[in-house]
Amino acid sequence: MSNVKLFFVCLVLLGIVSCMSEKPELIQLNFEKDLMPEGIAINSSTKKLYLNSLKNNKIVSSSLDGSSPATFLESNKHNYLAGFGMTIKGDTLYALGNSLTQNKNKSILLLLQLSSGDLIDSYSINDSTFHYLNDLAVSSTNKIFMTDSESNKIYTVQRPSKNIEVYLDAEEVSNSNGITISNDDELLYLASSKGIRIIETVSKKIINKPRKDYSGIDGLKYYNNNLYGIVNAKRDRTQNGLFKFKLNKARTEILENEKIVEFTESFKIPTTFDIFDKNIYFVTNTQIDNFDEDTNTILDLKKLEPYKIMKVKVK
């Protein structure tokens, strides 16, 4: 074989190997099957994965390959509630929780030290208004932004303040779920019922137009000047999936979207995700459609299956 032909054969083989390495990887987790996980976070220092539980009001951890499963936060410890959004910054795990019923509704935010599991701080909302703190993002100055998926409000905490305050109350960001912040803290991105909304953090000005075709988003992350989101609320299931939303250079407008992963029938309501080492990690089968929030019971125990994490290379 000539050197030229050998060169092109090598290129083809390299291309095949490259394409193969880009395929999503499934990792089985070894936790109890009745977690009903919602929030997920990865510690980049220890390469540990953290999941919380809607049913058991707890947080578990494992290695990224699913080994060494352990309980990080025992059920109801520090008054933790049904687990929702989580994120990690430094050695701190930020974990939101809610009571699932409208009667005597409560919401809580715990700040937990990863290295020890100790409680750093706790924030609660206890009032007669029904609220549902769903997801959160933390700035470089330790300012915490939280969505309330049952209202038009975005809440904030500026550490070391002990108070949760209303950052924004506007119909333009109604029923927001996923939330993420740019690396320079200048822009906040919200997955609202009116689509992805972009806000200047200082002025609180909403700078893009509503687009309902970019709605139905649960988890949302800013990464490498683009957005990534899990769409799981479309009636037409073929429209659900893991998406990349390409931003313009100013990061103030979404130019286009690309579906990275198609959610087939084997996917059972993926919700949130985290990004680590250029890979997206999310639970493919949360199975929360098999969970009754009002009674805190599994609808069909026979249908429960081991949880699986999908690892997808960031495009």
Side-chain angles (χ1 to χ4, degrees):
M1 183 181 293
S2 69
N3 290 338
V4 174
K5 286 184 178 179
L6 182 61
F7 173 74
F8 282 108
V9 168
C10 288
L11 283 180
V12 170
L13 288 175
L14 283 171
I16 293 172
V17 171
S18 175
C19 289
M20 289 175 64
S21 66
E22 297 295 324
K23 288 184 178 179
E25 176 185 348
L26 275 178
I27 304 164
Q28 182 169 311
L29 302 177
N30 298 303
F31 301 124
E32 57 267 42
K33 295 179 183 179
D34 67 346
L35 278 180
M36 303 294 129
E38 163 71 18
I40 179 173
I42 295 172
N43 185 343
S44 59
S45 298
T46 61
K47 298 181 182 179
K48 272 191 174 182
L49 171 80
Y50 295 82
L51 293 180
N52 57 23
S53 171
L54 282 172
K55 183 180 185 298
N56 300 318
N57 301 5
K58 64 188 288 186
I59 301 174
V60 297
S61 68
S62 75
S63 299
L64 278 178
D65 62 2
S67 64
S68 304
T71 297
F72 177 73
L73 182 73
E74 297 284 351
S75 294
N76 305 309
K77 190 173 182 180
H78 306 308
N79 297 314
Y80 193 51
L81 300 166
F84 280 78
M86 292 199 304
T87 193
I88 289 173
K89 200 168 188 66
D91 191 36
T92 302
L93 174 66
Y94 300 75
L96 286 175
N98 293 284
S99 53
L100 295 177
T101 57
Q102 293 195 24
N103 295 329
K104 298 180 180 179
N105 174 252
K106 296 180 181 179
S107 293
I108 193 167
L109 167 65
L110 297 185
L111 276 61
L112 301 163
Q113 189 171 49
L114 288 168
S115 54
S116 65
D118 292 341
L119 178 68
I120 298 171
D121 219 334
S122 175
Y123 297 83
S124 296
I125 298 181
N126 293 304
D127 57 39
S128 59
T129 304
F130 182 51
H131 39 70
Y132 218 73
L133 295 184
N134 203 315
D135 205 0
L136 74 165
V138 184
S139 76
S140 61
T141 61
N142 223 10
K143 189 169 187 177
I144 307 164
F145 297 90
M146 297 170 284
T147 57
D148 181 349
S149 58
E150 291 294 327
S151 77
N152 301 327
K153 294 177 181 177
I154 307 299
Y155 292 94
T156 187
V157 174
Q158 177 61 74
R159 297 275 296 156
S161 170
K162 296 291 293 182
N163 299 318
I164 295 179
E165 299 177 350
V166 175
Y167 167 76
L168 185 66
D169 187 351
E171 289 187 8
E172 289 297 300
V173 296
S174 62
N175 308 109
S176 289
N177 190 335
I179 183 172
T180 187
I181 192 168
S182 61
N183 292 340
D184 57 11
D185 299 335
E186 290 183 357
L187 298 167
L188 201 63
Y189 301 87
L190 305 171
S192 78
S193 60
K194 299 180 185 296
I196 298 174
R197 307 314 306 270
I198 305 174
I199 301 170
E200 291 179 344
T201 53
V202 175
S203 68
K204 303 181 185 179
K205 180 182 178 182
I206 303 170
I207 57 178
N208 71 323
K209 295 180 180 180
R211 284 191 59 172
K212 286 206 170 183
D213 54 330
Y214 289 160
S215 61
I217 298 171
D218 199 326
L220 187 70
K221 294 286 185 186
Y222 176 92
Y223 184 77
N224 280 354
N225 297 328
N226 289 299
L227 297 174
Y228 293 83
I230 283 180
V231 178
N232 63 10
K234 297 286 190 182
R235 290 183 180 179
D236 181 354
R237 291 182 60 179
T238 63
Q239 295 180 19
N240 293 329
L242 173 64
F243 284 79
K244 174 182 178 179
F245 299 93
K246 186 177 179 180
L247 296 170
N248 62 358
K249 288 185 178 180
R251 304 164 302 162
T252 57
E253 183 183 350
I254 298 171
L255 300 177
E256 60 185 10
N257 71 82
E258 174 189 0
K259 185 183 286 188
I260 300 173
V261 176
E262 178 89 25
F263 288 172
T264 60
E265 289 185 2
S266 63
F267 288 78
K268 297 176 181 177
I269 314 187
T271 55
T272 60
F273 64 99
D274 205 354
I275 301 177
F276 167 67
D277 195 24
K278 300 179 181 179
N279 287 287
I280 293 171
Y281 293 81
F282 66 94
V283 179
T284 63
N285 56 338
T286 67
Q287 304 168 77
I288 57 177
D289 56 341
N290 191 21
F291 177 57
D292 186 331
E293 293 186 359
D294 293 329
T295 60
N296 196 43
T297 57
I298 307 298
L299 299 176
D300 189 343
L301 291 170
K302 294 180 181 179
K303 289 185 177 181
L304 290 178
E305 58 189 40
Y307 296 106
K308 294 178 181 177
I309 288 283
M310 180 166 277
K311 175 184 175 183
V312 185
K313 199 74 177 176
V314 176
K315 290 190 176 184

